[in-house]
C-alpha cells in the first residue's frame, strides 16, 4: 500500500493557516500591513517624480535663449493679467463680505488651496485615480475636494505621510450632488468607466423634466455646496443631451468633462479652513 | 528555518516589474488603458524555490501589489497564494529552465488577475457594455505586452541569479 505523504499537501495546509491568521487578525494585521507596505513604496514614486522633474529641467535647458526670452515675455504678460485679476478678486471679496455682514448671512466655508504635483495616474474601466506628492505633511485630509483650471478633479480618498490618493471624477466610484448653472435644483453626477480613445465623460441623473439640453445649447453642470465637500459653482462639465431616466420621473444624460483631466500634472487640493480664517486664491 | 536568498532577488524583481507596469499605466492613462503585467511575478518563486521560501516571496509580492493598487487589501495576496499552492503541487510537470512553460503560466495567472479585477471593481458598472469593451481592451493590451515582457522578465531573473552566484536550478526537475 502506498504511503500517505502529508508533505504533498503542505502548500494547502500553509494556505489554510495563512487564511485563518488573516481572518482572525483581520483589522490589526491588515491595517498594519497595508500602511507599512504603502508607506514603504511611496518614496520610489516620489523619487520617480523628482527624476521626471530633473529630466524636464535638462530638456528645458536645451532650449535656445531666444525661446526662453519669448517664454519669459509671455509669462510677464500673464503675470500682469493675473495681478489685475487679483485686484478685482479682492475688491469683489470685500464687497461680498460687506454685503454678507449687512444681511447677517452665515459665514461661507473657506478653503486653503494646496497645489500638488501628480506623480501617478491610473485610468481604466475598473478605477480612476491619481496620486499626488503631498500628504499628511501638508495637512491634507480625507474627503478634501480637488480642482484644477478646468473644474473638479475629484476627491481625496487616502492620505499617507508624503502622498495622497485622489478618486477622479471619471471613476465609477465617484458621485456628488450637483446643479445646473442658473438652476438651483440638485441633481446627481456619477462617474462612469471611460472608453479608450474617447473624451472623458460621466453621467447626470435625477434631472427635472422641464430642463432641456441640445448640442447647440449645452447646459453647464456645476458643483453645489449641498454635499459640503465642494464650494458651489465649480465646473464639472457640459450636458448636451438629456433623455427620460429609468424611473420616468427624472431625466438623465451624458456629461462631457474637460479633456485635460486625463493628462493632469498639477492639481489644487481644497483644505477646509477653520471658521473665521479667509482663503487666498491669489 | 532555511532562508533562500533567491526569494529576496525574486521579490526585488517583482517590485521592479510592478513599478514599470504602473509607470506604463500612468503613461497610457489618457487612453484609459491600464496594462496588467502581474502574471510573471509568481512563476519563478513557485518553480524554483522550496515551499517556505516561495510562500514568503509570494506573500510579500502579493502585499506589495495590493498596497499599490486600489483593490481590497489582501485580494491579490489571496489569489497569489491560492494559485501558487496549486502550481506548487504540480510544479514537477513544468520546465522552468526554458521560457515556454513559465510564459504560459504567466499568461494564465495574468488572465485570472484581470478577471478578478473586473469582477470586484464597482459592481454598479458591470452591466454597462462599455465596461466590458474596455476590460477586453485592457486584457488584449496586457497580454500583447506580456508576450514581450514575460520572456524578458524571466531572462532577467535568470541573469540576476547567475550574476549573484545563486543556484540557477529549480528545486524539483520535471518528470520526463
Amino acid at each position: 500500500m502506498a504511503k500517505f505523504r502529508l508533505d504533498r499537501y503542505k502548500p494547502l495546509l500553509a494556505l489554510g493557516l495563512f487564511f485563518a491568521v488573516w481572518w482572525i487578525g483581520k483589522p490589526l494585521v491588515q491595517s498594519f500591513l497595508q500602511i507599512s507596505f504603502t508607506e514603504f513604496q511611496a518614496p520610489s514614486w516620489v523619487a520617480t517624480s523628482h527624476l521626471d522633474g530633473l529630466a524636464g529641467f535638462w530638456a528645458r535647458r536645451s532650449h535656445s535663449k531666444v525661446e526662453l526670452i519669448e517664454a519669459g515675455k509671455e509669462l510677464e504678460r500673464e503675470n500682469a493679467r493675473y495681478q489685475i485679476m487679483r485686484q478685482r478678486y479682492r475688491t469683489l471679496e470685500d464687497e461680498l463680505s460687506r454685503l454678507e455682514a449687512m444681511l447677517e448671512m452665515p459665514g461661507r466655508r473657506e478653503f486653503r488651496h494646496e497645489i500638488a504635483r501628480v506623480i501617478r495616474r491610473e485610468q481604466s474601466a475598473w478605477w480612476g485615480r491619481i496620486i499626488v506628492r503631498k500628504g499628511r505633511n501638508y495637512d491634507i485630509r480625507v474627503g478634501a475636494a480637488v480642482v484644477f483650471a478646468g473644474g473638479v478633479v475629484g476627491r481625496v480618498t487616502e492620505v499617507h505621510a508624503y502622498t495622497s490618493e485622489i478618486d477622479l471624477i471619471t471613476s465609477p466610484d465617484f458621485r456628488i450632488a450637483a446643479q445646473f448653472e442658473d438652476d438651483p435644483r440638485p441633481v446627481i453626477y456619477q462617474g462612469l468607466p471611460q472608453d479608450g480613445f474617447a473624451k472623458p465623460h460621466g453621467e447626470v441623473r435625477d434631472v427635472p423634466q422641464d430642463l432641456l439640453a441640445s448640442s447647440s445649447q449645452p447646459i453647464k453642470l456645476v458643483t453645489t455646496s449641498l454635499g459640503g465637500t465642494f464650494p458651489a459653482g465649480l465646473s464639472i462639465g457640459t450636458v448636451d443631451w438629456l433623455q427620460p431616466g429609468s424611473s420616468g420621473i427624472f431625466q438623465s444624460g451624458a456629461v462631457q468633462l474637460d479633456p485635460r483631466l486625463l493628462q493632469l500634472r498639477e492639481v489644487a487640493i481644497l483644505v477646509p479652513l477653520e471658521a473665521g480664517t479667509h482663503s487666498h486664491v491669489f | 528555518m532555511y532562508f533562500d536568498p533567491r526569494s529576496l532577488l525574486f521579490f526585488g524583481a517583482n517590485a521592479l516589474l510592478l513599478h514599470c507596469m504602473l509607470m506604463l499605466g500612468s503613461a497610457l492613462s489618457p487612453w484609459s488603458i491600464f496594462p496588467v503585467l502581474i502574471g510573471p511575478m509568481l512563476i519563478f518563486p513557485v518553480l524554483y524555490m522550496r515551499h517556505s521560501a516561495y510562500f514568503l516571496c509570494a506573500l510579500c509580492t502579493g502585499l506589495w501589489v495590493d498596497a499599490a493598487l486600489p483593490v481590497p487589501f489582501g485580494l491579490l495576496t489571496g489569489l497569489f497564494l491560492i494559485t501558487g499552492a496549486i502550481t506548487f503541487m504540480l510544479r514537477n510537470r513544468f520546465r522552468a529552465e526554458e521560457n515556454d512553460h513559465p510564459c504560459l503560466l504567466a499568461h494564465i495567472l495574468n488572465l485570472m488577475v484581470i478577471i478578478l479585477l473586473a469582477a470586484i471593481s464597482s459592481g454598479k458598472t458591470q452591466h454597462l457594455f462599455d465596461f466590458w469593451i474596455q476590460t477586453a481592451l485592457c486584457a488584449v493590451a496586457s497580454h500583447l505586452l506580456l508576450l514581450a515582457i514575460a520572456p524578458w522578465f524571466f531572462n532577467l531573473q535568470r541573469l540576476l541569479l547567475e550574476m549573484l552566484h545563486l543556484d540557477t536550478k529549480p528545486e524539483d526537475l520535471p518528470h520526463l
Side-chain angles (χ1 to χ4, degrees):
Chain A
M1 189 181 152
K3 195 181 168 188
F4 179 72
R5 287 181 60 200
L6 189 66
D7 63 321
R8 278 185 61 197
Y9 298 98
K10 197 174 163 184
L12 294 180
L13 286 174
L15 186 66
L17 191 68
F18 167 77
F19 280 123
V21 171
W22 185 262
W23 186 71
I24 292 165
K26 205 173 177 180
L28 193 71
V29 174
Q30 274 192 25
S31 61
F32 172 74
L33 288 173
Q34 187 168 13
I35 292 167
S36 312
F37 274 77
T38 309
E39 295 293 4
F40 201 69
Q41 55 188 257
S44 67
W45 287 104
V46 174
T48 307
S49 165
H50 282 295
L51 282 174
D52 193 36
L54 190 66
F57 170 75
W58 284 106
R60 277 191 287 277
R61 271 191 71 120
S62 64
H63 286 230
S64 72
K65 278 186 180 173
V66 178
E67 278 178 299
L68 291 174
I69 291 165
E70 279 300 315
K73 276 183 186 170
E74 188 64 33
L75 273 176
E76 214 172 320
R77 278 185 219 116
E78 286 291 309
N79 243 342
R81 195 163 70 84
Y82 282 122
Q83 276 175 3
I84 295 164
M85 279 172 69
R86 181 183 176 181
Q87 284 174 9
R88 172 107 180 111
Y89 173 81
R90 285 194 173 157
T91 313
L92 288 171
E93 273 283 303
D94 290 345
E95 180 68 11
L96 194 61
S97 304
R98 197 178 62 78
L99 288 171
E100 279 174 351
M102 273 172 63
L103 296 167
E104 293 177 356
M105 284 171 74
R108 280 170 293 134
R109 203 171 183 205
E110 298 283 357
F111 299 92
R112 171 168 60 89
H113 292 65
E114 196 62 63
I115 307 295
R117 182 161 276 268
V118 177
I119 57 175
R120 206 166 97 198
R121 287 180 288 268
E122 285 169 15
Q123 179 65 60
S124 67
W126 311 316
W127 55 71
R129 69 167 187 168
I130 54 172
I131 295 175
V132 295
R133 214 167 60 187
K134 282 184 179 174
R136 277 197 299 275
N137 53 341
Y138 282 86
D139 201 23
I140 308 294
R141 294 168 204 175
V142 172
V146 185
V147 298
F148 80 121
V152 176
V153 170
R155 191 190 288 128
V156 177
T157 50
E158 296 266 353
V159 179
H160 308 295
Y162 301 103
T163 55
S164 300
E165 293 173 22
I166 295 161
D167 214 2
L168 282 175
I169 192 171
T170 50
S171 166
D173 295 325
F174 189 91
R175 176 190 260 221
I176 49 166
Q179 68 175 66
F180 286 102
E181 213 173 34
D182 306 326
D183 189 303
R185 289 172 292 182
V187 293
I188 291 171
Y189 168 82
Q190 168 78 53
L192 288 178
Q194 301 300 300
D195 302 334
F197 312 104
K199 285 181 182 174
H201 62 276
E203 187 185 28
V204 63
R205 294 174 187 165
D206 295 355
V207 181
Q209 290 279 9
D210 58 320
L211 274 172
L212 291 172
S214 65
S215 52
S216 58
Q217 279 188 323
I219 41 179
K220 196 174 172 187
L221 190 68
V222 296
T223 54
T224 164
S225 56
L226 283 178
T229 308
F230 290 90
L234 290 173
S235 170
I236 294 175
T238 54
V239 179
D240 55 12
W241 161 79
L242 286 167
Q243 65 172 22
S246 54
S247 66
I249 304 169
F250 296 107
Q251 300 184 94
S252 63
V255 184
Q256 298 302 319
L257 306 172
D258 195 308
R260 291 174 293 174
L261 259 178
L262 302 180
Q263 291 169 322
L264 292 170
R265 293 183 70 83
E266 278 192 339
V267 294
I269 302 171
L270 304 185
V271 183
L273 291 174
E274 301 300 323
T277 324
H278 289 285
S279 68
H280 296 287
V281 176
F282 291 104
Chain B
M1 187 182 161
Y2 173 72
F3 177 74
D4 192 339
R6 290 182 296 180
S7 59
L8 276 180
L9 187 142
F10 290 142
F11 174 69
N14 290 344
L16 176 74
L17 181 62
L18 182 73
H19 195 85
C20 292
M21 178 189 109
L22 294 173
M23 280 174 74
L24 191 62
S26 201
L28 293 175
S29 66
W31 296 283
S32 302
I33 294 172
F34 184 76
V36 179
L37 306 171
I38 292 173
M41 291 180 185
L42 190 66
I43 308 306
F44 269 29
V46 174
L47 297 184
Y48 269 72
M49 296 190 291
R50 59 168 53 199
H51 183 263
S52 58
Y54 130 74
F55 192 84
L56 187 69
C57 183
L59 179 67
C60 290
T61 302
L63 293 172
W64 192 262
V65 177
D66 273 325
L69 297 178
V71 292
F73 194 72
L75 183 86
L76 291 172
T77 309
L79 180 75
F80 272 30
L81 294 178
I82 291 168
T83 50
I86 296 164
T87 318
F88 191 88
M89 289 168 76
L90 301 170
R91 72 173 178 170
N92 53 12
R93 294 170 190 273
F94 302 113
R95 278 180 176 272
E97 311 89 338
E98 290 169 14
N99 279 341
D100 303 347
H101 287 175
C103 283
L104 181 70
L105 289 172
H107 278 277
I108 293 170
L109 180 62
N110 208 60
L111 189 64
M112 287 169 76
V113 171
I114 291 171
I115 292 169
L116 188 68
L117 289 178
I120 59 107
S121 60
S122 195
K124 289 168 283 186
T125 53
Q126 283 181 13
H127 64 282
L128 295 173
F129 186 62
D130 288 353
F131 175 85
W132 292 109
I133 290 284
Q134 199 58 29
T135 298
L137 188 65
C138 283
V140 170
S142 302
H143 283 269
L144 284 176
L145 279 169
L146 208 58
L147 285 175
I149 284 176
W152 164 79
F153 184 66
F154 295 138
N155 289 339
L156 174 77
Q157 285 178 312
R158 285 197 196 95
L159 182 70
L160 289 173
L161 286 175
E162 273 184 31
M163 281 172 66
L164 298 172
H165 304 292
L166 296 169
D167 191 3
T168 54
K169 288 198 171 55
E171 293 278 335
D172 292 334
L173 290 170
H175 290 314
L176 295 174

